[in-house]
Coordinates of all heavy atoms in Angstrom, one line a residue:
R1 N 0.8 -1.2 0.0 CA 0.0 0.0 0.0 C 0.9 1.2 0.0 O 1.9 1.3 0.6 CB -0.9 0.0 1.2 CG -2.0 -1.1 1.1 CD -3.0 -1.0 2.3 NE -2.4 -1.3 3.5 CZ -2.4 -2.5 4.1 NH1 -3.0 -3.5 3.4 NH2 -1.9 -2.8 5.2
H2 N 0.4 2.3 -0.7 CA 1.2 3.5 -0.9 C 1.8 4.0 0.3 O 1.2 4.4 1.3 CB 0.3 4.5 -1.6 CG 1.0 5.8 -1.8 ND1 2.3 5.9 -2.5 CD2 0.7 7.1 -1.5 CE1 2.6 7.1 -2.6 NE2 1.8 7.9 -2.0
N3 N 3.2 4.0 0.3 CA 4.0 4.6 1.4 C 3.7 3.9 2.8 O 4.0 4.5 3.8 CB 3.8 6.1 1.5 CG 4.7 6.8 0.5 OD1 5.5 6.2 -0.1 ND2 4.4 8.1 0.3
D4 N 3.1 2.7 2.8 CA 2.8 2.0 4.0 C 3.9 1.1 4.4 O 4.0 0.0 3.9 CB 1.5 1.2 3.8 CG 0.9 0.6 5.1 OD1 1.7 0.4 6.0 OD2 -0.3 0.4 5.2
M5 N 4.8 1.5 5.3 CA 6.0 0.8 5.6 C 5.6 -0.5 6.5 O 6.4 -1.5 6.4 CB 7.0 1.7 6.4 CG 7.5 2.8 5.5 SD 8.5 2.2 4.0 CE 7.2 2.3 2.7
E6 N 4.6 -0.5 7.2 CA 4.2 -1.6 8.0 C 3.7 -2.7 7.0 O 4.0 -3.9 7.2 CB 3.1 -1.3 9.0 CG 3.6 -0.5 10.2 CD 4.7 -1.2 10.9 OE1 4.6 -2.4 11.2 OE2 5.8 -0.5 11.1
H7 N 3.0 -2.3 6.0 CA 2.6 -3.3 5.0 C 3.8 -3.9 4.2 O 3.9 -5.1 4.0 CB 1.6 -2.7 4.0 CG 0.9 -3.7 3.1 ND1 0.6 -3.5 1.8 CD2 0.6 -5.0 3.3 CE1 0.1 -4.5 1.2 NE2 0.0 -5.5 2.1
L8 N 4.7 -3.0 3.9 CA 5.9 -3.5 3.3 C 6.7 -4.5 4.2 O 7.2 -5.5 3.7 CB 6.8 -2.3 2.9 CG 8.2 -2.7 2.3 CD1 8.1 -3.6 1.1 CD2 9.0 -1.4 1.9
R9 N 6.8 -4.1 5.4 CA 7.5 -5.0 6.4 C 6.8 -6.4 6.4 O 7.5 -7.4 6.4 CB 7.5 -4.4 7.8 CG 8.2 -5.3 8.8 CD 8.1 -4.6 10.2 NE 8.8 -3.4 10.3 CZ 10.1 -3.3 10.5 NH1 10.8 -4.5 10.7 NH2 10.8 -2.2 10.6
F10 N 5.5 -6.4 6.4 CA 4.7 -7.7 6.4 C 5.1 -8.5 5.2 O 5.3 -9.7 5.3 CB 3.2 -7.4 6.5 CG 2.4 -8.6 6.2 CD1 2.2 -9.5 7.1 CD2 1.8 -8.7 4.9 CE1 1.4 -10.7 6.8 CE2 1.0 -9.8 4.6 CZ 0.8 -10.8 5.6
L11 N 5.1 -7.8 4.0 CA 5.4 -8.6 2.8 C 6.9 -9.0 2.8 O 7.2 -10.1 2.3 CB 5.1 -7.7 1.6 CG 3.7 -7.3 1.4 CD1 3.5 -6.3 0.2 CD2 2.9 -8.6 1.0
L12 N 7.8 -8.2 3.2 CA 9.2 -8.6 3.3 C 9.4 -9.8 4.2 O 10.2 -10.8 3.9 CB 10.1 -7.5 3.8 CG 10.4 -6.4 2.8 CD1 10.9 -5.1 3.5 CD2 11.4 -6.8 1.8
S13 N 8.7 -9.9 5.3 CA 8.7 -11.0 6.2 C 8.1 -12.2 5.5 O 8.6 -13.4 5.6 CB 8.0 -10.7 7.5 OG 8.0 -11.8 8.4
K14 N 7.0 -12.0 4.8 CA 6.3 -13.1 4.2 C 7.2 -13.8 3.1 O 7.2 -15.0 2.9 CB 5.0 -12.6 3.5 CG 4.3 -13.7 2.7 CD 3.0 -13.1 2.1 CE 2.2 -14.1 1.3 NZ 1.0 -13.5 0.7
Y15 N 8.0 -13.0 2.4 CA 8.8 -13.5 1.3 C 10.3 -13.5 1.7 O 11.2 -13.5 0.8 CB 8.6 -12.6 0.0 CG 7.2 -12.7 -0.6 CD1 6.3 -11.7 -0.3 CD2 6.9 -13.8 -1.3 CE1 5.0 -11.8 -0.9 CE2 5.6 -13.9 -1.9 CZ 4.7 -12.9 -1.7 OH 3.4 -13.0 -2.2
R16 N 10.6 -13.6 2.9 CA 12.0 -13.4 3.3 C 12.9 -14.5 2.8 O 14.1 -14.3 2.7 CB 12.1 -13.3 4.9 CG 11.7 -14.6 5.6 CD 11.7 -14.3 7.1 NE 12.8 -13.5 7.6 CZ 12.8 -12.6 8.5 NH1 11.7 -12.3 9.2 NH2 13.9 -11.9 8.9
D17 N 12.3 -15.7 2.5 CA 13.2 -16.8 2.0 C 13.4 -16.8 0.5 O 14.1 -17.7 0.0 CB 12.5 -18.1 2.4 CG 12.5 -18.3 3.9 OD1 13.5 -17.8 4.6 OD2 11.6 -19.0 4.4
K18 N 12.9 -15.8 -0.2 CA 13.1 -15.7 -1.6 C 14.6 -15.4 -1.9 O 15.3 -14.8 -1.1 CB 12.3 -14.5 -2.2 CG 10.8 -14.8 -2.3 CD 10.5 -15.8 -3.5 CE 9.0 -16.0 -3.6 NZ 8.6 -16.9 -4.7
R19 N 15.0 -15.9 -3.1 CA 16.5 -15.8 -3.4 C 16.9 -14.3 -3.5 O 17.8 -13.9 -2.8 CB 16.7 -16.5 -4.7 CG 18.2 -16.5 -5.1 CD 18.4 -17.1 -6.5 NE 17.4 -16.5 -7.5 CZ 17.3 -16.9 -8.7 NH1 18.0 -17.9 -9.2 NH2 16.5 -16.4 -9.6
R20 N 16.2 -13.5 -4.3 CA 16.6 -12.1 -4.5 C 15.3 -11.3 -4.2 O 14.2 -11.6 -4.7 CB 17.1 -11.8 -5.9 CG 18.4 -12.5 -6.2 CD 18.8 -12.1 -7.6 NE 19.9 -13.0 -8.1 CZ 20.1 -13.3 -9.4 NH1 19.3 -12.8 -10.3 NH2 21.1 -14.1 -9.7
K21 N 15.5 -10.2 -3.5 CA 14.4 -9.3 -3.1 C 14.8 -7.9 -3.6 O 15.9 -7.4 -3.2 CB 14.2 -9.4 -1.6 CG 13.8 -10.7 -1.1 CD 13.6 -10.8 0.4 CE 14.9 -10.8 1.1 NZ 15.6 -12.1 0.9
L22 N 13.9 -7.3 -4.3 CA 14.2 -5.9 -4.8 C 13.0 -5.0 -4.4 O 11.8 -5.3 -4.7 CB 14.3 -6.0 -6.4 CG 14.4 -4.6 -7.1 CD1 15.7 -3.9 -6.7 CD2 14.3 -4.8 -8.6
I23 N 13.3 -4.0 -3.7 CA 12.4 -2.9 -3.4 C 12.5 -1.8 -4.4 O 13.6 -1.3 -4.6 CB 12.6 -2.4 -1.9 CG1 12.5 -3.5 -0.9 CG2 11.6 -1.3 -1.6 CD1 13.0 -3.0 0.5
V24 N 11.4 -1.4 -5.0 CA 11.4 -0.3 -6.0 C 10.4 0.7 -5.6 O 9.2 0.4 -5.3 CB 11.1 -0.9 -7.4 CG1 11.4 0.2 -8.5 CG2 11.9 -2.1 -7.7
T25 N 10.8 2.0 -5.7 CA 9.9 3.1 -5.5 C 10.2 4.3 -6.3 O 11.4 4.5 -6.7 CB 9.9 3.5 -4.0 OG1 8.9 4.5 -3.7 CG2 11.3 4.1 -3.6
D26 N 9.2 5.0 -6.7 CA 9.4 6.4 -7.2 C 9.9 7.3 -6.0 O 9.5 7.0 -4.8 CB 8.1 7.0 -7.7 CG 7.6 6.4 -9.0 OD1 8.4 5.7 -9.6 OD2 6.5 6.7 -9.4
A27 N 10.7 8.2 -6.3 CA 11.1 9.2 -5.2 C 10.0 10.2 -5.0 O 9.5 10.4 -3.9 CB 12.4 9.9 -5.6
V28 N 9.5 10.8 -6.1 CA 8.3 11.6 -6.1 C 7.3 11.0 -7.0 O 7.6 10.6 -8.2 CB 8.6 13.1 -6.5 CG1 7.4 13.8 -6.8 CG2 9.5 13.8 -5.5
F29 N 6.1 10.8 -6.5 CA 5.1 10.0 -7.3 C 4.4 10.9 -8.3 O 4.0 12.0 -8.0 CB 4.1 9.4 -6.4 CG 4.7 8.3 -5.5 CD1 5.3 8.6 -4.3 CD2 4.7 7.0 -6.0 CE1 5.9 7.6 -3.5 CE2 5.3 6.0 -5.2 CZ 5.9 6.3 -4.0
S30 N 4.4 10.4 -9.6 CA 4.1 11.3 -10.7 C 2.7 11.8 -10.7 O 2.4 12.9 -11.4 CB 4.4 10.5 -12.0 OG 3.5 9.3 -12.1
M31 N 1.7 11.2 -10.1 CA 0.4 11.7 -10.2 C -0.1 12.3 -8.9 O -1.2 13.0 -8.9 CB -0.6 10.5 -10.5 CG -0.4 10.0 -11.9 SD -0.7 11.2 -13.2 CE 0.8 11.2 -14.1
D32 N 0.6 12.2 -7.8 CA 0.2 12.8 -6.5 C 1.2 13.8 -6.0 O 0.9 14.7 -5.3 CB 0.1 11.7 -5.5 CG -1.1 10.8 -5.7 OD1 -1.1 9.9 -6.6 OD2 -2.2 11.0 -5.0

């Protein structure tokens, strides 16, 4: 969820055993 770091933490924990993990974000979001 947009800029929701708790939700990101939950997902990172859920997929923590994946081989490679990539977090991607816009610095400034183009529509907001």
Side-chain angles (χ1 to χ4, degrees):
R1 291 186 292 270
H2 178 51
N3 280 348
D4 187 336
M5 294 298 96
E6 287 306 311
H7 189 215
L8 175 56
R9 180 185 293 277
F10 166 78
L11 292 173
L12 283 163
S13 179
K14 178 181 178 180
Y15 294 101
R16 68 187 315 146
D17 293 330
K18 288 285 186 177
R19 181 184 51 183
R20 295 179 195 152
K21 298 177 283 292
L22 173 65
I23 302 170
V24 189
T25 186
D26 287 349
V28 169
F29 293 88
S30 60
M31 292 299 126
D32 290 78

